[in-house]
Amino acid sequence: MAQTVLELKNVSKRYPLAPGSSLEAQGRIAAIDNVSLSLAAGQIYGFAGLNGAGKTTSIKAALGLIQPDSGSIELFGAPIDAAAFNQIGFCPEKPVFYETLTASEIIDFSGRLLNVTVDASRKKQILERVGLYDDRHKRVAAFSKGMQQRLGIACAMLHDPALYILDEPASGLDPLGRRLVKDILLELKQAGKTVFFSTHIISDITEICDKIAIIHNGQILYEGAVDEFCPGHKNGEERFIKIIQDYDSKAAAAKCSVR
Ligand SMILES: Nc1ncnc2c1ncn2[C@@H]1O[C@H](COP(=O)(O)OP(=O)(O)OP(=O)(O)O)[C@@H](O)[C@H]1O
Ligand SMILES: [Mg+2]
């Protein structure tokens, strides 16, 4: 059986509720509530949910960037520790760069942060892969949102990690850019890497993923093989909407019965 590379067990995170916060408006007390997820080596895993569902909070917890209130997290079969980070390529939801640097300089800078040597041919290979080689001498300030997103993915690849954790890697990309990202993720899988990414676009998951989880109101409503979620990889969006609508109707009915 393939090794489990990322496992969240009953992970919850609450933030102090500010009056008028989006959580309070939804009647929620937790950003994530008992989230359990399991990702096996070699899989592409799609993490789906609406705005505010809890995707980024779960990812931050998985990476140790926030401390959960309860639950446990394991990376490569052990509690989170610094050594695990050498094995992870992370691209945040909104990658931020020094805008006065060029793409080429960002690659050099990120390589130094990651403590890896990025020679000219590796830089060319990676920038070509994300379609930015011809723009390598442009300052990031002149980059479109989609170009910055692709540069973020390039930075996550520099140290050739075993596990990629990408928070909405297709955000802001046009259809060609999305195709490019999906092809890169499939190539990573073929190279034996493991990929976890979040998205709002269900068809991107059903097209390339082995496993899907749906998070809604901070809770996991579904986790399973894409083949079972939507046999033939068809009608995934309809299934996603139905799962969410069923949950919302039950929650509304429960609220009425309490009143
Ligand atoms: N630092 C914070 N302080 C207070 N509330 C927060 C904080 N971070 C997230 N939240 C709340 O937790 C909930 C989950 O947010 P999260 O960013 O995880 O959602 P998401 O699924 O990534 O959404 P999106 O698709 O818009 O990126 C939201 O209601 C959000 O307002
Ligand atoms: Mg998010």
Side-chain angles (χ1 to χ4, degrees):
M1 226 174 94
Q3 183 203 5
T4 301
V5 295
L6 172 64
E7 183 154 43
L8 275 68
K9 279 191 197 153
N10 301 316
V11 175
S12 297
K13 176 72 184 173
R14 293 180 181 207
Y15 289 108
L17 273 190
S21 75
S22 60
L23 283 178
E24 190 188 47
Q26 293 165 41
R28 270 162 73 179
I29 53 164
I32 53 172
D33 187 7
N34 276 311
V35 164
S36 295
L37 301 170
S38 170
L39 169 62
Q43 284 185 328
I44 307 185
Y45 189 119
F47 193 32
L50 306 179
N51 288 126
K55 300 179 297 297
T56 298
T57 307
S58 303
I59 287 173
K60 284 182 184 167
L63 289 163
L65 299 174
I66 55 167
Q67 184 62 38
D69 300 318
S70 55
S72 64
I73 298 160
E74 288 196 349
L75 278 165
F76 305 105
I80 302 175
D81 76 348
F85 291 112
N86 298 332
Q87 304 248 53
I88 299 173
F90 171 52
C91 182
E93 194 167 23
K94 288 184 204 133
V96 178
F97 304 102
Y98 288 112
E99 296 209 321
T100 52
L101 299 185
T102 65
S104 173
E105 289 165 341
I106 292 284
I107 295 290
D108 292 336
F109 178 68
S110 303
R112 281 203 289 276
L113 287 180
L114 290 161
N115 209 15
V116 288
T117 309
V118 185
D119 62 20
S121 77
R122 175 83 176 133
K123 189 193 287 186
K124 182 166 189 264
Q125 180 199 25
I126 288 185
L127 284 175
E128 272 180 344
R129 191 61 201 93
V130 298
L132 290 177
Y133 188 66
D134 291 345
D135 300 300
R136 66 194 179 282
H137 297 311
K138 276 190 194 153
R139 288 180 199 277
V140 172
F143 271 24
S144 69
K145 187 169 181 274
M147 289 164 86
Q148 294 196 24
Q149 195 69 35
R150 284 184 277 139
L151 184 57
I153 294 168
C155 291
M157 297 168 77
L158 288 180
H159 54 313
D160 193 28
L163 169 62
Y164 285 80
I165 298 184
L166 310 171
D167 195 356
E168 293 195 44
S171 161
L173 297 185
D174 58 31
L176 279 182
R178 269 176 53 208
R179 177 76 269 156
L180 181 131
V181 169
K182 282 183 276 191
D183 287 345
I184 290 173
L185 301 188
L186 285 169
E187 276 172 26
L188 290 172
K189 178 183 165 160
Q190 270 168 13
K193 312 293 183 185
T194 308
V195 180
F196 180 95
F197 74 94
S198 67
T199 185
H200 300 133
I201 307 162
I202 307 306
S203 60
D204 284 355
I205 296 181
T206 57
E207 222 178 290
I208 65 165
C209 290
D210 303 290
K211 201 167 175 185
I212 179 171
I214 295 173
I215 185 165
H216 184 55
N217 275 1
Q219 295 172 45
I220 299 294
L221 301 189
Y222 187 95
E223 190 195 33
V226 168
D227 285 341
E228 282 158 30
F229 175 73
C230 54
H233 294 213
K234 286 193 188 122
N235 305 323
E237 190 165 283
E238 285 77 356
R239 178 101 202 265
F240 170 81
I241 291 171
K242 175 141 187 11
I243 286 171
I244 287 188
Q245 285 177 338
D246 286 353
Y247 171 94
D248 285 346
S249 321
K250 274 188 201 148
K255 234 185 204 170
C256 287
S257 69
V258 168
R259 277 185 193 148

